[in-house]
Amino acid sequence: MPDSPRTDKDVHVSPDHEAFSREAADRVRSLVESVLEEQEFFALAFAGGSTPRRLYELLADSSLPWDRIHLFWGDERFVPHDHPKSNVQLVRETLLNKIDMPDENVHPMPTSGSPQAAASAYAETLRHAFADRAHTFDLALLGMGGDGHTASLFPEDDPAPNDPNWVRAVSAPPRHDISQRLTCTLPVLNNANRAFVLVSGASKRDTVDRVLNQQDSSLPITQVHPRTSLLWLLDEAAAPTEEA
Ligand code: 6PG
């Protein structure tokens, strides 16, 4: 994949978690609608974790043209898809169980067999999905951990901006409950056209400050530079004083 150009950061702060989730849903919906005026399909990558749960519930009520949207995941815990900690399960219970979505449009990360083989298989899924375009996802939804990780790119690992692999099997640091994970690599995230970084809650404020006000390059999320735009969606609790 070509090196992606650097992009400017944009930040929107909402008063609380509900308003933050509604803002994110509105922006996802308007982006999908505008991109589908120019493209046949929209490729959306989901973040895992707890922050996007309400957003996904709101997307279920947003009457998007789901038959023209392909769903992917930025990372996954290597557990069965019906496991309570699965990122597929999160999207299933908040969104997929409530909408009419063609099965062939849903591309979960495989979590059976060997993690390395599953990573290779998903890399092939992505290469096939994006074979006829210069970019990967039209929108990558990303979360951020308090340690500055995003997807399952952790500060302990080499972020590898030029990683030749599209998907990696990784072990999360011991502070995380599920160790074995699959993650899209930085080149895949940086070749997304756009990304929304979704951060909510006071526990993340110091890390947001390190990223937005101190440009702390030791944090994997600081290495994310999509091709067109990077939008930080925060609630006030997560916003450093300069951003609030
Ligand atoms: C995962 C996510 C991960 C998540 C952050 C934030 O699989 O855990 O993809 O990158 O977005 O850890 O998680 P919370 O939203 O739960 O704080």
Side-chain angles (χ1 to χ4, degrees):
M1 283 176 287
D3 285 347
S4 55
R6 295 184 70 83
T7 50
D8 292 334
K9 276 193 273 291
D10 191 12
V11 181
H12 184 280
V13 181
S14 299
D16 55 36
H17 186 78
E18 178 67 16
F20 152 88
S21 303
R22 291 187 176 279
E23 179 72 26
D26 290 347
R27 289 174 181 260
V28 170
R29 182 173 48 247
S30 57
L31 181 61
V32 168
E33 288 165 356
S34 62
V35 167
L36 287 182
E37 287 171 11
E38 311 290 329
Q39 285 177 196
E40 179 59 23
F41 289 104
F42 187 95
L44 173 64
F46 288 111
S50 56
T51 300
R53 173 175 288 275
R54 181 62 181 138
L55 162 59
Y56 299 161
E57 291 171 349
L58 291 168
L59 290 179
D61 302 332
S62 59
S63 65
L64 283 171
W66 293 110
D67 60 327
R68 295 182 61 200
I69 300 174
H70 279 252
L71 305 180
F72 301 87
W73 275 256
D75 73 328
E76 183 57 281
R77 294 86 180 272
F78 207 74
V79 293
H81 287 158
D82 59 0
H83 187 285
K85 294 282 190 182
S86 159
N87 289 341
V88 163
Q89 175 60 19
L90 168 68
V91 175
R92 207 177 260 165
E93 65 193 29
T94 55
L95 175 63
L96 290 177
N97 289 346
K98 302 173 185 175
I99 61 173
D100 185 14
M101 183 88 196
D103 290 345
E104 63 270 20
N105 288 22
V106 182
H107 310 279
M109 286 186 165
T111 58
S112 57
S114 91
Q116 287 70 26
S120 300
Y122 203 67
E124 192 48 39
T125 297
L126 296 179
R127 274 194 288 268
H128 176 74
F130 304 133
D132 61 355
R133 53 166 63 180
H135 65 284
T136 57
F137 308 120
D138 294 291
L139 175 63
L141 297 175
L142 296 173
M144 184 196 75
D147 58 0
H149 83 262
T150 192
S152 285
L153 300 170
F154 296 99
E156 289 83 351
D157 302 325
D158 167 15
N162 300 310
D163 192 330
N165 299 286
W166 288 49
V167 182
R168 274 194 183 276
V170 298
S171 297
R175 60 184 173 274
H176 295 281
D177 48 359
I178 307 279
S179 171
Q180 188 63 66
R181 310 226 178 163
L182 300 182
T183 187
C184 287
T185 58
L186 263 182
V188 170
L189 300 181
N190 285 344
N191 276 286
N193 233 357
R194 293 173 178 82
F196 292 173
V197 184
L198 307 162
V199 187
S200 170
S203 67
K204 305 277 179 78
R205 179 182 295 181
D206 289 347
T207 309
V208 173
D209 183 60
R210 285 173 63 189
V211 178
L212 294 184
N213 297 324
Q214 303 172 39
Q215 288 76 45
D216 182 343
S217 58
S218 70
L219 304 177
I221 189 66
T222 312
Q223 309 297 320
V224 174
H225 306 292
R227 297 171 72 90
T228 301
S229 66
L230 176 65
L231 171 65
W232 284 73
L233 292 171
L234 308 173
D235 62 7
E236 269 181 20
T241 46
E242 291 82 350
E243 304 296 346

